[in-house]
Amino acid sequence: MKKKVEINVAGIHIRDGNEEERIDTSSRGVYEVRADGSVIIVYDEIQDMGGQRIKISNTVTVPTDLKSVEVVRAGAMNSKMIFASEEYSMDYKTPYGFMQMEVVTKSLDFKNEDSGIIREISAEYIIKSGNEVLSDSKMIIEIK
């Protein structure tokens, strides 16, 4: 099953003890339930970066067991983040450079509609490099 959906994404970040920074984006996308029951959500987003508007293509994969989420971002910024019970190392590429970081998932939650369609994915996580915490973050993906 494939269907067109509205995607709202909120990214909430606290860096270096500073105030909370919130980034909200909305776009249209495609929600697909594959034959094996896994879910793929594909959407593009436009973000402002250094006075420029950049396009980022996103693919969110949710396995049938709902124990992890993989978010792949491609375009001006490239990354692959896995939110799961184990720490995940990732390469993060921006127009300003490249760095290796770790994702430590604190919580992962799904809200489903009666029909079984995932309506919200939320993940609380820490991004760190070595022993240094770069941000304490939360991501909320709403599917309408």
Side-chain angles (χ1 to χ4, degrees), residues 43-49 52-58 73-78 95:
Y43 63 97
D44 292 334
E45 65 182 280
I46 304 295
Q47 287 188 355
D48 290 320
M49 179 177 278
Q52 297 180 16
R53 295 179 55 78
I54 59 170
K55 177 181 170 183
I56 302 167
S57 297
N58 297 275
R73 301 179 65 162
M77 295 175 17
N78 295 295

Side-chain angles (χ1 to χ4, degrees), residues 31-34 36-41 60-64 66 116 118 121:
Y31 183 103
E32 178 182 358
V33 179
R34 297 220 166 146
D36 67 358
S38 63
V39 172
I40 305 289
I41 305 163
V60 178
T61 305
V62 182
T64 55
L66 300 178
I118 297 170
I121 302 167

Side-chain angles (χ1 to χ4, degrees), residues 27 42 45 50 58 70 74 84 86 90 108 113 120 138 142:
S27 61
V42 178
E45 65 182 280
N58 297 275
E70 176 184 275
E86 297 176 9
M90 72 169 195
L108 181 62
E113 194 174 76
E120 183 177 289
K138 183 173 187 175
E142 293 179 300

Side-chain angles (χ1 to χ4, degrees), residues 74-139:
M77 295 175 17
N78 295 295
S79 66
K80 176 180 171 183
M81 299 174 73
I82 296 179
F83 301 99
S85 59
E86 297 176 9
E87 186 173 303
Y88 176 75
S89 292
M90 72 169 195
D91 296 330
Y92 187 65
K93 180 183 165 260
T94 73
Y96 306 109
F98 164 87
M99 61 189 327
Q100 187 169 33
M101 298 184 287
E102 294 81 39
V103 178
V104 180
T105 305
K106 298 190 315 188
S107 70
L108 181 62
D109 189 42
F110 301 89
K111 292 184 182 169
N112 296 340
E113 194 174 76
D114 288 338
S115 63
I117 293 177
I118 297 170
R119 290 297 175 190
E120 183 177 289
I121 302 167
S122 63
E124 291 186 49
Y125 59 99
I126 294 170
I127 299 287
K128 64 181 193 169
S129 181
N131 291 326
E132 181 182 356
V133 172
L134 303 177
S135 75
D136 193 351
S137 302
K138 183 173 187 175
M139 173 188 67

